[in-house]
Amino acid sequence: MKETTQDKKISKNLLPGEMSIKGFIGDDKRQLNQIINSDKVILDRLNLTAKMIADRLQHFTDAAFESYYGSIIIDEKYEVNYQSYRGKLICPFSHPGIYRKGLITLKNLENGNTISWTPLNIHMIREHCFFEGIGSVHRLEPEILKETLFSRE
Ligand SMILES: [Zn+2]
């Protein structure tokens, strides 16, 4: 698929040193729309939607944010910590909107999986189905999100 001017601008924003020091792409050589489309295919296979994941991440983020200090245990199963940083981020997809800098870390105490994400990750997943490129610091693998955040039925 050919990239539009807007796509190119977004892709540039995602590179290291543009809107964040490390960027959002990692070592991924694919075009942005390829990264997004391949994750959409994976979500379908997992029976998940970007919204379901974003809602789940937001739920834990809100709970941990309200706890102020240290980690909290949610549902006797998830240990969640919210680390706040000064400053704000804007969406690399040229949206209006400002996102808190922060890092949320969640450990699933049943299977030991630990994942971390930022408030901007939640937005990029919800609105852009963007989980970051392979090798990016905050890349969130849909399979791991499923194993970590959703109980087995
Ligand atoms: Zn956006």
Side-chain angles (χ1 to χ4, degrees):
M1 211 187 300
K2 201 172 173 325
E3 289 199 297
T4 62
T5 313
Q6 177 66 5
D7 291 341
K8 285 194 182 121
K9 189 176 161 222
I10 294 166
S11 298
K12 183 168 181 283
N13 286 343
L14 296 170
L15 295 174
E18 292 289 330
M19 299 183 73
S20 88
I21 294 167
K22 291 177 179 160
F24 303 92
I25 290 296
D27 320 313
D28 211 317
K29 301 281 182 263
R30 296 172 297 170
Q31 283 186 0
L32 179 59
N33 53 36
Q34 292 175 308
I35 297 175
I36 290 173
N37 287 331
S38 98
D39 283 330
K40 282 184 179 161
V41 170
I42 295 170
L43 290 182
D44 277 351
R45 205 181 66 219
L46 297 172
N47 279 319
L48 284 177
T49 63
K51 180 180 184 300
M52 286 162 71
I53 293 174
D55 286 349
R56 196 77 175 132
L57 292 173
Q58 190 66 54
H59 164 74
F60 288 118
T61 300
D62 293 344
F65 187 69
E66 281 158 18
S67 85
Y68 295 104
Y69 290 105
S71 300
I72 54 162
I73 306 285
I74 298 170
D75 297 341
E76 300 175 354
K77 177 172 167 180
Y78 304 99
E79 186 179 86
V80 191
N81 180 272
Y82 192 118
Q83 175 78 49
S84 247
Y85 297 99
R86 266 171 199 277
K88 307 267 188 205
L89 291 169
I90 59 171
C91 173
F93 292 78
S94 316
H95 259 160
I98 294 180
Y99 303 90
R100 272 199 190 98
K101 272 194 184 178
L103 186 69
I104 302 95
T105 304
L106 175 145
K107 180 173 184 184
N108 180 316
L109 300 172
E110 278 179 10
N111 61 23
N113 279 1
T114 300
I115 57 171
S116 60
W117 67 88
T118 69
L120 182 58
N121 278 125
I122 302 175
H123 167 79
M124 292 194 299
I125 291 172
R126 185 187 302 284
E127 298 296 331
H128 310 291
C129 200
F130 182 57
F131 294 79
E132 303 205 4
I134 308 275
S136 180
V137 201
H138 294 301
R139 161 79 185 165
L140 291 161
E141 290 295 341
E143 284 98 341
I144 295 173
L145 289 169
K146 180 168 187 174
E147 279 174 19
T148 310
L149 299 174
F150 296 89
S151 301
R152 252 174 249 162
E153 316 289 292

